[in-house]
């Protein structure tokens, strides 16, 4: 519990993850702490279980390029980014399932997200969650949301969003027939 697979501290580094990264039981697959780093995730990035994070990035002006698929379930976070001016570029699919699970979580001002992969979320999860002002989000991927989940959520002032992908909200019900709607894009 609480272990880390790869841990990098410092500024201006280039980190290339060519293989798959996974974390369970509160662990972190890859942890990067510093400013101006470039992180290239070319393999799958997955997390399972509360407190688990596939890739964690802390610092300002980092660029995260994700070509592999990202998944989070059972309260985990696939990619967690904290700091200002960070950029997240994604071409892989993002899947999040289960209450408090988040595919990509970004906390900080002036975040930039460019997503071309599909986002599939269900059971109270979030695909991409951004908290901070002046966020810029370009989404070209399809979003499928069900069971009280949210595809993309932005909390903060002056958000700029270009939504180009299809949003699908399949109708779901719980065991008693109560509708369990999802939200494709939520800007607060």
């Amino acid at each position: 519990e609480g272990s880390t697979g790869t841990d990098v501290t410092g500024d201006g580094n280039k980190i290339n993850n060519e293989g798959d990264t996974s974390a369970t039981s509160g662990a972190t697959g890859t942890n990067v702490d510093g400013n101006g780093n470039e992180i290239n995730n070319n393999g799958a990035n997955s997390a399972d279980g509360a407190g688990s994070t596939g890739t964690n990035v802390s610092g300002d002006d980092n660029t995260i390029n994700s070509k592999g698929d990202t998944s989070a379930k059972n309260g985990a976070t696939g990619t967690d980014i904290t700091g200002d001016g960070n950029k997240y570029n994604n071409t892989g699919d993002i899947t999040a399932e289960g209450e408090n699970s988040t595919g990509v979580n970004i906390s900080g001002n002036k975040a930039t997200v460019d997503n071309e992969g599909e986002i599939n979320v269900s059971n109270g999860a979030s695909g991409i969650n951004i908290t901070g002002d002046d966020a810029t989000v370009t989404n070209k991927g399809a979003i499928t949301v069900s069971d009280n989940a949210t595809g993309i959520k932005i909390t903060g002032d002056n958000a700029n969003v270009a939504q180009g992908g299809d949003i699908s909200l399949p109708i779901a019900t719980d065991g008693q027939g109560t509708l369990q709607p999802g939200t494709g894009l939520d800007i607060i």
Side-chain angles (χ1 to χ4, degrees), residues 90 92-96 113 115-122 125-129 137-146 149-154 161-170 182-187:
N90 181 60
D93 294 342
I94 297 171
T95 304
V113 174
N115 180 62
E116 295 183 19
E118 292 184 12
I119 299 173
N120 296 290
V121 289
S122 61
S126 294
I128 298 175
N129 184 52
V137 176
T138 302
N139 182 59
K140 298 173 189 162
I143 300 174
T144 303
V145 182
S146 64
T150 303
I152 299 174
K153 181 177 182 178
I154 303 170
V161 178
Q163 171 59 36
D166 292 336
I167 298 176
S168 175
L169 305 169
T183 303
L185 180 61
D186 188 10
I187 302 173

Side-chain angles (χ1 to χ4, degrees), residues 49-159:
S52 301
T53 304
T55 299
N56 183 66
V57 179
S58 299
D60 299 333
D61 303 313
N62 293 295
T63 299
I64 300 91
N65 300 308
S66 183
K67 292 182 180 176
D69 294 345
T70 297
S71 66
K73 60 183 180 177
N74 299 318
T77 302
T79 300
D80 193 17
I81 303 166
T82 304
D84 295 335
N86 290 305
K87 296 178 177 89
Y88 180 75
N89 304 308
N90 181 60
T91 55
D93 294 342
I94 297 171
T95 304
E97 181 181 355
E99 195 72 31
N100 299 318
S101 297
T102 304
V104 178
N105 186 65
I106 302 173
S107 300
N109 297 323
K110 298 183 179 178
T112 301
V113 174
D114 186 358
N115 180 62
E116 295 183 19
E118 292 184 12
I119 299 173
N120 296 290
V121 289
S122 61
N123 298 322
S126 294
I128 298 175
N129 184 52
I130 301 170
T131 304
D133 296 335
D134 304 308
T136 300
V137 176
T138 302
N139 182 59
K140 298 173 189 162
I143 300 174
T144 303
V145 182
S146 64
D147 300 319
N148 295 317
T150 303
I152 299 174
K153 181 177 182 178
I154 303 170
T155 305
D157 295 331
N158 303 316

Side-chain angles (χ1 to χ4, degrees), residues 6-27:
T6 301
D7 195 3
V8 178
T9 301
D11 300 335
N13 296 298
K14 184 173 184 178
I15 299 99
N16 294 314
N17 286 330
E18 298 297 332
D20 296 344
T21 300
S22 65
T24 60
S25 303

